[in-house]
Structures are given as structure tokens and as C-alpha cells.
């Protein structure tokens, strides 16, 4: 069996415990429901359908982000960065191969709110982010 993608096998909090402080989170909203956001690593075919890759079954934003927030509160001197990108949405309950999907602006207020209501801090302005010093980033991320 060929491996098409290589992803981390540890949970997000497990990765924090091992020293990771920056995460590349690719998300898909299932069933047009912003309470059901999953992680993915797949390609999108030219016909707008999901291609080869995977979508998380057990891990969702709702059940992983609170653990990361808790870890961050227990380690206030650590700066943890989440880069949320490759955002998609589908009307389907599961994003299987060939499922129609649509691009979603990762700055969409509904998506940002899905993270912030779980205790995560968010900044979507590249202009502001690019002007931050490390100290300013730490202040903005303080839990």
C-alpha cells in the first residue's frame, strides 16, 4: 500500500509535549456545520471534488482545541502558533473521495468563531501579524 501523505501520529497536545509550537491545520467544515470541523490533508481535483488524502474521523476542532488551550494555560511562557489554511466546506456529512467541496476563506467569521469560542485567540490580518514583534505576539496570544 502506497503512502500518499505523511502526517503526525501523535495528538496535537502530544506534539506540544514533544516540543512542537507551530501547527499547520488544514480544515474542512462537514455538513455545512461549523460545529463539525475536521482536519484534512487531501488534494482538490479540477472538478471541485475531493481527491487523494484523508479527513480525520475522531479528531475535530471541537475535541482538540480545548486540550491545546488547556495546555497553553498550564505553560504560559510558551507561544503556540496555529496556521489554519486550505479551508473547505461541504454539504456532505463525510468528505470521502470525489465528494464535492468548496473553498472557504480561512478568515470567514464563522470559522474564526469556531476556534475563538473554544478559547483560542485569533488574528486574521496579515498586516498586523507582519508588524508584530515576538513580545507583541506573546501578548496577543496570552490566554
Amino acid at each position: 500500500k502506497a503512502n500518499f501523505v505523511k502526517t503526525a501520529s501523535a495528538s496535537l497536545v502530544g506534539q506540544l509535549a514533544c516540543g512542537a509550537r507551530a501547527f499547520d491545520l488544514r480544515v474542512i467544515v462537514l455538513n455545512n456545520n461549523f460545529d463539525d470541523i475536521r482536519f484534512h490533508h487531501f488534494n482538490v481535483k479540477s472538478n471541485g471534488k475531493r481527491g487523494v488524502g484523508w479527513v480525520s474521523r475522531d479528531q475535530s476542532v471541537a475535541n482538540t482545541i480545548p486540550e491545546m488551550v488547556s495546555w497553553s494555560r498550564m505553560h504560559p511562557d510558551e507561544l503556540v502558533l496555529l496556521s489554519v489554511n486550505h479551508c473547505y466546506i461541504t454539504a456532505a456529512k463525510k468528505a470521502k473521495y470525489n465528494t464535492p467541496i468548496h473553498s472557504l476563506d480561512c478568515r470567514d467569521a464563522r470559522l474564526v468563531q469556531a476556534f475563538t469560542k473554544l478559547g483560542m485567540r485569533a488574528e486574521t490580518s496579515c498586516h498586523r501579524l507582519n508588524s508584530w514583534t515576538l513580545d507583541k505576539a506573546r501578548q496577543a496570544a496570552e490566554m
Side-chain angles (χ1 to χ4, degrees):
K1 178 177 164 180
N3 289 326
F4 294 101
V5 294
K6 178 70 175 163
T7 60
S9 58
S11 70
L12 296 176
V13 171
Q15 292 176 58
L16 285 168
C18 288
R21 296 296 181 267
F23 296 85
D24 171 29
L25 301 181
R26 299 166 185 223
V27 298
I28 183 165
V29 177
L30 297 180
N31 202 26
N32 291 324
N33 178 359
F34 284 83
D35 289 327
D36 191 6
I37 303 171
R38 304 299 172 123
F39 305 109
H40 77 82
H41 202 290
F42 57 70
N43 69 341
V44 179
K45 301 189 301 185
S46 60
N47 62 1
K49 294 186 177 181
R50 191 203 126 177
V52 175
W54 62 266
V55 175
S56 62
R57 290 187 195 133
D58 298 328
Q59 289 186 326
S60 67
V61 166
N63 70 18
T64 58
I65 296 303
E67 294 174 340
M68 294 184 82
V69 169
S70 178
W71 186 95
S72 294
R73 286 184 175 139
M74 290 187 303
H75 301 85
D77 293 336
E78 299 290 343
L79 177 62
V80 178
L81 301 175
L82 305 182
S83 173
V84 179
N85 56 76
H86 295 83
C87 301
Y88 296 98
I89 190 168
T90 183
K93 291 182 181 180
K94 294 183 179 179
K96 297 179 179 177
Y97 181 77
N98 265 343
T99 297
I101 60 173
H102 305 280
S103 290
L104 176 67
D105 186 335
C106 295
R107 298 167 299 173
D108 183 292
R110 298 165 296 174
L111 187 59
V112 173
Q113 183 182 20
F115 282 85
T116 58
K117 76 179 185 182
L118 298 171
M120 189 63 62
R121 303 292 301 266
E123 178 55 66
T124 60
S125 167
C126 290
H127 177 73
R128 277 193 291 273
L129 288 169
N130 288 334
S131 70
W132 283 358
T133 63
L134 180 57
D135 286 337
K136 177 64 179 166
R138 286 184 191 281
Q139 283 179 333
E142 192 173 303
M143 296 296 199

